[in-house]
Amino acid sequence: MEITEDALKRAWHRLAAGSDLLDEAVFPPTGTYEQYEAHVEGGGGAGLYLVLEEDGTVCGCGGPYDEVFVARGLDEALYCLAEEAVRGLDGTIAGQAALMDRIDPGWGRVFRGGGPDGAEPAPPCGRDPLEGFAWIAGSWREQAPYTHLAFFRGESVGAERIALLYGADPRHVAAGTRLSDLSKGNGGAHGTWPTDWDSCCFGRSGDWTFLMYHDTAPGTRVDAAAFAELGVTETVWLSACLGKAIYTFDYLRDGRRVDDGIIELISYERGRTPYVRGGRLDFLNRALRRAELDHPELTDEFALYFHALETSLGLGLPRRDIREGTVRAARWARRDI
């Protein structure tokens, strides 16, 4: 059912009248996409603007190309407006959750769940996130130890076969070469990421095979058929480009991308779910909200995101092996292009 501006405004005023927290909350300007573009071009600022679509969808826009939320239905639109309002009242996620409780206990539960109504919050983490996958988030942002962190899951997916598929030198793979072996004679030292552009590291962590590298081997072409032959059913790629401030997350299952149109990690802002509520990546919304609630001490949003990837998908990397140089490694094989 189409939501009109008048219906949404009247519903918001009824909600605000029943809660002292929303006394000073101003209903945002509302219109079509064309009106929103005119609003921006006219110097309307980066404040929240509601765009009403014909199918009843309400899009909350915070600025050009900045979609703050997408709500389908009147109740969800009111919830999203209340969530935006409490962000201005308390800077902490726990504080915002408590304020949502005061407005509506059900909305407090939805906020803690980081997903649509009916999604239960994940159980508390109860451990140090930097002892898990999040330990590497800071250095990876600087493209260290490698630019690409790739993960492969499936029945009997071997790390050596993945490395060879991507172009690792068969001699290094067969010899069991370690990262510290590659750094000898190159001025490398343990703990200083002695890696270069023609090498890779690989191994297993949990039920994922991982491969880390800066660039693929010259002449290498890896396609869906090659993955299928190795039994790969899921893949995750995390790619960093420091110079362009581009940091991407790609998740494929059975050869198909699982996404909601957003793959850059910088689209995640603490307190806001980066993916469509109820969408294909809503499990990651819930994991991020759990991480925000459990670990307010983590000021790095990349670390929060990596922790959520660990709790939701089970991603991990062997911290000691990488830091001490005992992780398996190889140079790319020389090929005629």
Side-chain angles (χ1 to χ4, degrees):
M1 181 181 73
E2 181 183 355
I3 300 176
T4 66
E5 178 180 352
D6 184 60
L8 182 56
K9 186 179 294 185
R10 284 189 282 108
W12 172 254
H13 287 320
R14 285 196 300 270
L15 175 66
S19 173
D20 60 333
L21 291 175
L22 303 177
D23 283 344
E24 299 182 5
V26 178
F27 188 78
T30 307
T32 63
Y33 279 112
E34 291 76 14
Q35 291 171 323
Y36 173 56
E37 290 176 2
H39 171 79
V40 172
E41 291 174 359
L48 187 65
Y49 189 103
L50 302 182
V51 174
L52 304 183
E53 299 184 352
E54 292 183 358
D55 64 356
T57 300
V58 180
C59 297
C61 302
Y65 314 110
D66 180 16
E67 200 170 69
V68 175
F69 65 79
V70 176
R72 294 173 175 82
L74 183 60
D75 289 341
E76 188 175 0
L78 292 173
Y79 166 83
C80 291
L81 286 171
E83 189 177 272
E84 285 300 303
V86 301
R87 282 174 60 87
L89 299 175
D90 194 306
T92 68
I93 304 301
Q96 291 167 22
L99 293 178
M100 293 296 284
D101 282 334
R102 286 176 56 184
I103 298 172
D104 185 319
W107 284 0
R109 178 176 56 79
V110 172
F111 182 86
R112 290 181 176 85
D117 195 9
E120 292 296 330
C125 171
R127 58 189 177 83
D128 182 353
L130 296 181
E131 291 300 318
F133 188 41
W135 72 269
I136 203 169
S139 65
W140 170 79
R141 186 172 185 172
E142 305 296 323
Q143 294 183 236
Y146 286 98
T147 301
H148 301 281
L149 309 180
F151 299 85
F152 311 86
R153 182 156 65 178
E155 187 174 354
S156 302
V157 177
E160 292 185 348
R161 295 183 68 190
I162 287 290
L164 290 170
L165 178 66
Y166 271 79
D169 190 322
R171 296 170 301 174
H172 288 163
V173 174
T177 301
R178 306 289 171 172
L179 180 58
S180 58
D181 298 326
L182 297 185
S183 69
K184 290 177 180 177
N186 293 329
H190 301 332
T192 59
W193 313 124
T195 60
D196 51 39
W197 289 85
D198 68 348
S199 69
C200 67
C201 290
F202 58 93
R204 294 276 297 181
S205 180
D207 55 356
W208 290 90
T209 289
F210 67 85
L211 178 73
M212 303 188 296
Y213 58 93
H214 282 303
D215 203 355
T216 53
T220 301
R221 298 290 184 271
V222 181
D223 56 21
F227 285 143
E229 185 176 345
L230 292 184
V232 175
T233 57
E234 291 178 85
T235 58
V236 173
W237 280 277
L238 291 157
S239 300
C241 183
L242 175 63
K244 297 181 179 180
I246 296 175
Y247 304 92
T248 60
F249 160 72
D250 279 296
Y251 176 38
L252 278 74
R253 186 189 300 139
D254 296 323
R256 296 185 177 184
R257 176 168 280 108
V258 180
D259 67 26
D260 291 320
I262 301 173
I263 64 172
E264 284 201 45
L265 272 66
I266 58 174
S267 65
Y268 164 57
E269 180 182 347
R270 185 190 301 262
R272 286 197 175 122
T273 53
Y275 303 106
V276 176
R277 290 183 171 93
R280 304 175 73 194
L281 290 176
D282 199 44
F283 69 90
L284 192 47
N285 286 334
R286 293 193 291 273
L288 279 164
R289 183 52 48 81
R290 186 71 260 171
E292 292 169 342
L293 289 167
D294 287 343
H295 304 293
E297 75 282 1
L298 283 186
T299 57
D300 181 358
E301 291 177 348
F302 281 71
L304 280 170
Y305 198 103
F306 273 47
H307 183 53
L309 288 175
E310 178 189 6
T311 58
S312 60
L313 288 173
L315 298 187
L317 287 171
R319 183 176 189 175
R320 177 177 293 180
D321 289 350
I322 293 172
R323 287 197 176 278
E324 295 183 358
T326 57
V327 65
R328 293 288 301 278
R331 296 207 180 278
W332 297 134
R334 295 185 179 277
R335 298 187 180 188
D336 295 327
I337 304 175

